[in-house]
Amino acid sequence: MAKSSADDAELRRACAAAVAASGARGEEVSFSIRVAKGRGIFEKLGRLAKPRVLALTTKHSSKGEADKAFLRVLKYSSGAVLEPAKLYKLKHLTKVEVISSDPSGCTFVLGFDNLRSQTVAPPQWTMRNIDDRNRLLFCILNICKEILSYLPKVVGIDIVELALWAKENTLTLDNQENNNQEGRETSVATQTERKVTAKVTVENDLVSQAKDEEEDMEALLDTYVMGIGEADAFSERLKQELVALEAANVYQLLESEPLIEEVLQGIDAASATIDDMDEWLRIFNLKLRHMREDISSIESRNNGLEMQSVNNKGLVEELEKLLERLRIPQEFAASLTGGSFEESRMLKNVEACEWLTGAIRCLEVPNLDPSYVNMRAVREKRAELEKLKITFVKRASEFLRNYFSSLVDFMISDKSYFSQRGQLKRPDHADLRYKCRTYARLLQHLKSLDKSCLGPLRKAYCQSLNLLLRREAREFANELRASTKAPKNPAVWLEGSNNAGQNGSSADTSTVSDAYSRMLTIFIPLLVDESSFFAHFMCFEVPALVPAGAPNVNKRRSGANDPDDDDLSLMDPDGNDIKPDNTSVELGTLNDALQELLDGIQEDFYAVVDWAYKIDPLRCISMHGITERYLSGQKDDAAGFVRKLLDDLESRISVQFSRFIDEACHQIERNERNVRQTGILAYIPRFAVLASRMEQYIQGQSRDLIDKAYTKLVSTMFTTLEKIAQSDPKTADIVLIENYAAFQNSLYDLANVVPTLAKFYHQASESYEQACTRHISSLIYLQFERLFQFSRKVDELTYTIAAEEIPFQLGLSKTDLRRVLKSSLSGGPTHFVCT
């Protein structure tokens, strides 16, 4: 047989170490054994039992207190090390029950009276065999008897068998304990003797419980003193006593006959009384049934009346609410039908609009029960509200159209609003916007009441304000041109004498481009602000129109109380901001309205551009850069007319500058008609001056414009130069060499910084080298022409005669050769080119 785990010293030491590691001090491990833990139902579901170790520990107090006994459950950790899992106090142990469903008898349950949840089945402990079970139970009972002085209830196991097993195995256990405790200290031996003594005491107690039953049986038998073998006599005696007992019972029944008769008579009387009572109860039951039916009928009618009363009350409340919705306050009706639109009355008008909008919404299906929609009173009230809405919208629209017209007419009639002689005045629309802003909420409510009314109002506003803006732009542009000091004679760049060209180009014309920049600085922000104010004032559901990057250096930074603040947030009648979902349609409508609002003002900008062009065409470069800078700050979808205006200005400036370049090219081409021109052509040095001035005027993204002008001018210059040179073949190369050299000398510095000019510089250098090569070749040929002819004759004769006979030919002698060499070296051309 395998050795029991209860005799495993290593297991006991591991349990002692685990108990000590848990923080328990002074506990001694008396017994330890391996068990399997389960709960019955888990084994039926197929789950395996968990291996555990049960350890009985005792704690002896040194201060006179009672000793304590514990049952510890230990489990194996991931490293196969024992660690505490549960702790039970043996003083709460009330029952030890062996499970009857286990045929092996090795499974038992320990019942404790202090478990927190009695609904959960206690764990079942399964031993390897009956001996391990008995050893554990015997040790538990021994400790309970010795330390706690009581024994728990034992169920499912015969006490006598357990006592006999303990008596038979006590000697074996003692021998095993003595063998395991060899070499220990004397105190440990004493503890073992005490355990053996306690085991004997428990054994005696178990045997005494069995003997009590035997003594009761012996006491019963002692009442009959008879010898062994007298069984027949004993049986006879029992029969006699039984007969005597039955006779006594019959006699007793005969004596009680009168009493029985009295009882029967009483029963008969009670039966009659009960029959009468039953009849009365039937009658009462019938009456009660009728009464219950009457009460039920009364309760039913009462419930119907109560329900009708509740419904009537609810109906009255709903009708009162509906009447409250249908009621039109007198003050609002007066404001909507005949009230004034003066500034002092606008608050009441706005309140009336808010009420009207809310009243119309309350009569719509989402806010009104569908069952009320077709009621005659609701239909009549809805028609009445529609009439109020139409009347108010018509009155308000007519007033606003007249108001916009009168407001602009008043400003136009006052000359102090415009620029005058000697005084440039910045247009100021703060007062105009302040007065219009008074009716901003009114416009928002008009939009919520009838969106179609906004079209005529927007048109009236655009027509009125367009007159004001065109008048302001015209007066400002006229005074701007009159107050700008500029040269009276326009500059002539590529024709006439050199002195005239130089004097014309040296005049300062910066005031011209400054005037154009001032025009844009004043009016572009104004037009953008007007566009933004118009979009918000006229309730367009579009984003903000003023771009963050637009140049507006002179724009005032307004405070919180500035009347020029254009922050008109779109709000509904309840005061909530309106967040548009799709603004593409609104942007198209807005741009159409802005076209009508600002149309015609571009003519004054065109007049300034044309005026600047006449004074100095090169100022188109500066104006083009200024326009590019403003154009880059405008969004594609914001203030569309302003961007279109800037695009048109840029196109007009480009056209004017192209016109200047075409005229310059025409002046260059006119040099071709002059016959026999020698020396450096006039337009070569003038172009250098022109290019220097053009580079000074470049701003922003005007480089493309200048490069195109360079390409066209230089191409025309080189083409004209080639044609002039070809008019006289004798001096063609000399003209090309002189002019290409002059071109390179005059544009050397600019070619280092301007890529386009550098390209033409290299082209001129190549043409110069080619002309030099041709000219030198022609000079050599003229100087040594007779020598070349002599050599050519010699070469031709080498093919027909022998070389020795050549000196004897006519004109090819050595004397002729000396004469040709002398004439070629002594004479020469009358002119050379110094480069």
Side-chain angles (χ1 to χ4, degrees), residues 409-435:
D409 290 342
F410 172 77
M411 295 182 67
I412 291 177
S413 62
D414 189 355
K415 295 184 178 180
S416 62
Y417 281 101
F418 308 103
S419 299
Q420 302 177 11
R421 184 175 297 277
Q423 181 183 3
L424 277 175
K425 185 173 180 63
R426 176 194 297 270
D428 187 5
H429 293 177
D431 186 56
L432 173 66
R433 294 176 187 173
Y434 176 77
K435 292 179 180 180

Side-chain angles (χ1 to χ4, degrees), residues 22 37 174 308 334 407 544 554 574 607 632 646 772 778 806-807:
S22 65
K37 177 184 177 182
D174 292 341
Q308 185 177 0
L407 188 61
N554 296 324
D574 298 330
S632 63
L646 293 172
C772 287
S778 63
I806 292 176

Side-chain angles (χ1 to χ4, degrees), residues 54-201:
L54 295 181
L56 295 172
T57 62
T58 58
K59 183 177 182 181
H60 302 283
S61 178
S62 60
K63 298 182 180 180
E65 298 179 358
D67 296 342
K68 298 179 181 180
F70 305 97
L71 174 64
R72 288 186 175 271
V73 181
L74 297 96
K75 65 180 181 179
Y76 289 96
S77 64
S78 58
V81 179
L82 288 176
E83 60 181 15
K86 290 285 186 179
L87 174 64
Y88 300 98
K89 295 182 179 180
L90 287 182
K91 69 179 182 179
H92 296 294
L93 181 63
T94 58
K95 182 176 68 172
V96 179
E97 180 180 359
V98 177
I99 302 301
S100 61
S101 60
D102 185 6
S104 65
C106 298
T107 303
F108 63 92
V109 175
L110 299 178
F112 295 88
D113 59 1
N114 64 334
L115 292 179
R116 295 182 180 179
S117 176
Q118 297 293 342
T119 60
V120 179
Q124 297 179 3
W125 310 102
T126 303
M127 313 301 294
R128 294 177 58 190
N129 49 49
I130 295 296
D131 292 338
D132 286 351
R133 183 202 70 180
N134 290 341
R135 293 182 70 175
L136 176 61
L137 296 182
F138 187 79
C139 188
I140 291 174
L141 296 174
N142 188 13
I143 291 177
C144 290
K145 180 66 176 178
E146 179 184 0
I147 297 179
L148 305 176
S149 302
Y150 87 98
L151 288 174
K153 183 179 179 180
V154 180
V155 179
I157 185 172
D158 193 351
I159 298 297
V160 176
E161 292 180 2
L162 182 61
L164 294 176
W165 179 90
K167 185 175 182 181
E168 293 175 359
N169 292 275
T170 299
L171 182 59
T172 304
L173 294 175
D174 292 341
N175 293 335
Q176 290 176 356
E177 290 181 359
N178 291 333
N179 293 333
N180 292 334
Q181 294 176 354
E182 288 181 0
R184 294 184 180 179
E185 296 179 357
T186 307
S187 60
V188 177
T190 305
Q191 179 180 359
T192 305
E193 293 175 1
R194 185 171 59 196
K195 290 181 180 179
V196 174
T197 305
K199 291 177 182 178
V200 174
T201 303

Side-chain angles (χ1 to χ4, degrees), residues 516 520 524 527-528 591 595 601-602 605-606 609 620 623-656 701 705:
Y516 176 77
L520 293 185
I524 293 301
L527 298 181
V528 173
N591 286 327
Q595 177 72 27
I601 197 174
Q602 65 270 22
F605 287 89
Y606 295 161
V609 171
C620 290
M623 293 189 295
H624 189 276
I626 295 170
T627 308
E628 280 284 349
R629 180 160 53 90
Y630 275 90
L631 191 59
S632 63
Q634 299 295 323
K635 296 181 181 178
D636 291 339
D637 57 347
F641 181 83
V642 178
R643 183 174 183 85
K644 184 176 181 299
L645 172 63
L646 293 172
D647 283 332
D648 292 343
L649 285 174
E650 185 182 26
S651 300
R652 193 175 186 90
I653 292 171
S654 300
V655 169
Q656 293 285 28
Q701 301 176 359
L705 182 69

Side-chain angles (χ1 to χ4, degrees), residues 335-400:
S335 298
L336 293 172
T337 55
S340 173
F341 289 99
E342 295 179 358
E343 185 176 349
S344 59
R345 294 276 305 173
M346 282 311 301
L347 181 60
K348 293 184 178 180
N349 289 331
V350 169
E351 292 178 355
C353 288
E354 291 176 352
W355 174 85
L356 180 59
T357 304
I360 294 175
R361 289 180 179 176
C362 288
L363 296 182
E364 295 175 353
V365 173
N367 301 316
L368 184 67
D369 194 291
S371 59
Y372 295 157
V373 174
N374 295 324
M375 292 179 63
R376 186 176 66 179
V378 174
R379 294 199 306 269
E380 292 176 353
K381 190 58 64 176
R382 189 184 298 113
E384 186 177 355
L385 292 177
E386 287 293 331
K387 291 180 181 179
L388 282 178
K389 181 186 75 172
I390 294 172
T391 301
F392 178 76
V393 169
K394 183 178 179 181
R395 292 177 56 249
S397 300
E398 184 178 358
F399 167 78
L400 289 175

